């Protein structure tokens, strides 16, 4: 009989030394299109069919990955992002060689509570191009943070670092690993606490137009990703944010509410997925915003509210915010808001599809123009969708812990 092959050691390799003070360092540069060795193939975990089916459906429904795309995955080391790494590697193996390029990037915020460096040898062993971004976000927060939410500041800085990495290395798609549970919780919190019908988007282009954010896991449940990560023995890294002593009570309340309702209605998340699918497209929010603006314009309530807010800002009764800057600029252009030469107001009840699309594009460009750079260089990522996603962090998470601000 032939001798049995020696078992493959899965012990982590020694961590490479990174130059101190380097803000953007490529820890591993290995071609993701190169043929994998037998040892590397044994490290890849094959996803079960119950995960692959909704993943492929989301990829197809929103046309997330096309031929020639250069895809960068934001890899935090948590269960969701590690599961997404192996899901994308499996999807990539099913396409012809070179159909799309896959790489990963990890942002190290520079805190003792979170050390993602063990990911460096692990991702190298998979043969994936890897960018380790040492950003020292906590140190920057002490010097530059002007708002009341360190969580929102950290999230913006991380996202900005990922966008910069995409631009520096030519990636046109950024993958984030938020799942269906995140989207449902985001929808309920936005509706109940912020009065807005919205949730995270499955795919959208950031305001500068050079990077597209995609979320292939919008149809996947959190427990499915968790079970896959732990069953496959993936090296999950738990993050303990030092700025928050406990998770936001409102999000925990929403989680408990959903768990209670799911025990009564087992198909709850399936129904929520069907209900939220239109909201995964940014155009749905634009349509809802158009309807809201038309209603406000008819009853004049919103105009009075904006005028009262501007007067309070001028009198020093409240601080000027991003929306106030946009309102002042709108007021300077004229009481009714000049919309440029040749623009005709669109009646939604009679508008054609072409007129609706033109109006949506105009409003999106106007929104980008109003918000561009208003948040300051330290916090702005030129991403309106990210700002909306961070509303709950701005409301509930502060440097003193997670609580709701009055």
């Amino acid at each position: 009989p032939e001798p049995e092959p020696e078992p493959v050691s899965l012990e982590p390799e020694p961590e490479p030394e990174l130059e101190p003070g380097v803000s953007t360092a490529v820890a591993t540069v290995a071609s993701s299109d190169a043929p994998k060795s037998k040892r590397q193939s044994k490290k890849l975990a094959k996803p079960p069919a119950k995960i692959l089916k909704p993943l492929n459906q989301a990829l197809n429904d929103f046309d997330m990955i096309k031929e020639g795309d250069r895809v960068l995955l934001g890899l935090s080391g948590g269960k969701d992002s590690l599961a997404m790494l192996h899901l994308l590697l499996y999807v990539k193996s099913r396409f012809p060689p070179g159909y799309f390029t896959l790489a990963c990037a990890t942002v190290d915020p520079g805190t003792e509570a979170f050390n993602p460096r063990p990911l460096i040898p692990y991702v190298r062993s998979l043969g994936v191009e890897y960018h380790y971004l040492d950003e020292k976000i906590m140190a920057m927060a002490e010097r530059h943070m002007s708002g009341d939410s360190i969580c929102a500041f950290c999230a913006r800085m991380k996202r900005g670092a990922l966008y910069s990495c995409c631009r520096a290395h030519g990636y046109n798609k950024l993958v984030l690993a938020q799942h269906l549970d995140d989207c449902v919780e985001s929808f309920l919190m936005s509706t109940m606490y912020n009065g807005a019908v919205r949730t995270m988007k499955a795919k959208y282009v950031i305001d500068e137009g050079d990077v597209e954010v995609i979320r292939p896991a919008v149809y996947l449940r959190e427990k499915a990703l968790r079970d896959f990560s732990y069953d496959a023995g993936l090296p999950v890294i738990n993050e303990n944010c030092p700025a928050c002593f406990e998770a936001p009570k409102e999000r925990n309340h929403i989680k408990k509410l959903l768990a209670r309702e799911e025990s009564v209605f087992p198909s709850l998340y399936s129904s929520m997925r069907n209900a939220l699918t239109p909201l995964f497209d940014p155009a749905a929010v634009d349509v809802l915003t158009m309807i809201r603006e038309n209603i406000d314009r008819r009853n004049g309530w919103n105009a009075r509210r904006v005028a009262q807010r501007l007067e309070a800002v001028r009198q020093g009764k409240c601080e000027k915010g991003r929306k106030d800057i946009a309102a002042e600029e709108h007021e300077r252009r004229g009481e009714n808001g000049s919309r440029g030469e040749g623009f005709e107001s669109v009646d939604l009840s009679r508008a054609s599809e072409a007129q609706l699309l033109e109006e949506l594009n105009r409003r999106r460009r106007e929104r980008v123009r109003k918000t561009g750079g208003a948040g300051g260089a330290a916090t702005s990522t030129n991403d309106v969708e990210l700002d909306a996603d961070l509303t709950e962090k701005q409301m509930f998470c502060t440097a003193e812990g997670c609580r709701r601000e009055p």
Side-chain angles (χ1 to χ4, degrees):
E2 298 182 358
E4 297 183 0
E6 296 183 2
V8 176
S9 174
L10 297 181
E11 293 296 325
E13 301 177 17
E15 300 178 10
E17 294 292 335
L18 294 181
E19 297 181 9
V22 177
S23 61
T24 304
V26 181
T28 295
V29 181
S31 173
S32 57
D33 293 327
K36 294 179 174 59
S37 65
K38 185 176 182 181
R39 177 178 177 179
Q40 290 171 346
S41 64
K42 289 187 177 182
K43 289 179 178 289
L44 298 180
K46 182 179 180 180
K50 66 178 181 180
I51 290 182
L52 288 175
K53 183 177 179 180
L55 175 77
N56 288 327
Q57 185 175 354
L59 291 173
N60 292 328
D61 285 355
F62 298 97
D63 196 20
M64 293 186 179
I65 297 179
K66 301 177 181 179
E67 185 175 4
D69 279 343
R70 287 179 54 78
V71 179
L72 181 71
L73 168 65
L75 184 67
S76 68
K79 63 185 188 315
D80 302 328
S81 62
L82 278 171
M84 182 55 61
L85 170 59
H86 283 264
L87 289 173
L88 291 176
L89 285 173
Y90 182 81
V91 170
K92 188 173 184 296
S93 69
R94 309 297 293 178
F95 281 98
Y99 186 84
F100 72 92
T101 302
L102 176 64
C104 300
T106 298
V107 180
D108 186 349
T111 170
E112 296 179 358
F114 176 56
N115 178 24
R117 287 178 178 268
L119 290 173
I120 297 174
Y122 178 75
V123 178
R124 178 199 290 128
S125 70
L126 299 177
V128 178
E129 183 175 345
Y130 187 48
H131 306 276
Y132 191 92
L133 312 177
D134 190 358
E135 291 296 324
K136 302 294 187 291
I137 293 175
M138 291 304 169
M140 286 188 287
E142 295 177 0
R143 299 191 301 269
H144 303 296
M145 191 180 70
S146 58
D148 63 349
S149 173
I150 194 170
C151 296
F153 178 88
C154 183
R156 286 193 178 95
M157 294 300 293
K158 285 182 177 179
R159 188 70 68 85
L162 291 174
Y163 291 161
S164 297
C165 183
C166 287
R167 296 182 182 112
H169 300 280
Y171 301 110
N172 64 314
K173 299 284 179 73
L174 174 63
V175 178
L176 302 178
Q178 282 95 357
H179 42 68
L180 179 61
D181 294 51
D182 290 327
C183 295
V184 173
E185 293 163 12
S186 177
F187 168 76
L188 291 180
M189 291 193 70
S190 179
T191 305
M192 296 168 65
Y193 299 132
N194 201 35
V197 180
R198 71 171 309 280
T199 187
M200 298 176 183
K201 303 298 178 289
K203 183 179 77 169
Y204 72 93
V205 179
I206 69 172
D207 297 341
E208 293 188 2
D210 56 347
V211 177
E212 189 172 46
V213 176
I214 59 175
R215 293 183 171 103
V218 288
Y219 290 165
L220 283 169
R221 293 296 309 277
E222 179 182 17
K223 60 185 178 182
L225 293 172
R226 180 185 62 237
D227 293 345
F228 170 60
S229 294
Y230 289 115
D231 290 346
L234 304 185
V236 176
I237 299 175
N238 294 320
E239 180 175 3
N240 298 310
C241 178
C244 299
F245 302 118
E246 57 182 2
K249 294 181 176 63
E250 285 75 8
R251 180 168 283 274
N252 278 341
H253 174 72
I254 294 296
K255 285 180 177 288
K256 292 178 181 178
L257 183 150
L258 288 167
R260 183 171 63 249
E261 293 303 311
E262 189 179 18
S263 66
V264 180
F265 304 102
S267 61
L268 172 67
Y269 276 89
S270 176
S271 298
M272 290 297 295
R273 168 185 154 179
N274 292 334
L276 292 180
T277 297
L279 292 180
F280 290 152
D281 191 319
V285 177
D286 290 333
V287 170
L288 294 175
T289 301
M290 290 169 58
I291 295 173
R292 166 61 69 183
E293 289 178 354
N294 281 346
I295 293 174
D296 292 341
R297 190 159 46 244
R298 284 196 295 268
N299 61 32
W301 173 85
N302 189 59
R304 292 192 297 272
R305 179 187 64 80
V306 172
Q308 292 172 358
R309 169 75 182 181
L310 287 176
E311 184 62 26
V313 170
R314 292 191 185 104
Q315 296 177 2
K317 295 180 179 179
C318 55
E319 295 181 358
K320 183 185 295 186
R322 177 178 296 182
K323 291 183 179 180
D324 300 318
I325 297 174
E328 287 180 346
E329 186 175 346
H330 181 79
E331 188 181 49
R332 285 195 299 270
R333 295 201 313 270
E335 183 178 355
N336 295 325
S338 174
R339 298 191 175 191
E341 298 181 359
F343 177 81
E344 298 180 359
S345 179
V346 176
D347 183 356
L348 294 180
S349 63
R350 300 179 179 179
S352 65
E353 291 184 356
Q355 287 177 310
L356 284 174
L357 289 175
E358 183 180 356
E359 175 70 359
L360 288 176
N361 290 330
R362 185 201 64 77
R363 289 176 182 268
R364 182 176 294 278
R365 290 194 301 270
E366 181 74 5
R367 183 175 62 182
V368 171
R369 189 192 60 75
K370 288 180 180 180
T371 59
T379 59
S380 177
T381 57
N382 290 328
D383 189 341
V384 175
E385 292 295 340
L386 173 61
D387 291 339
D389 291 339
L390 293 179
T391 299
E392 65 185 64
K393 293 181 181 292
Q394 196 68 41
M395 292 175 62
F396 306 129
C397 297
T398 69
E400 287 75 35
C402 289
R403 54 187 175 82
R404 182 165 188 173
E405 291 297 301

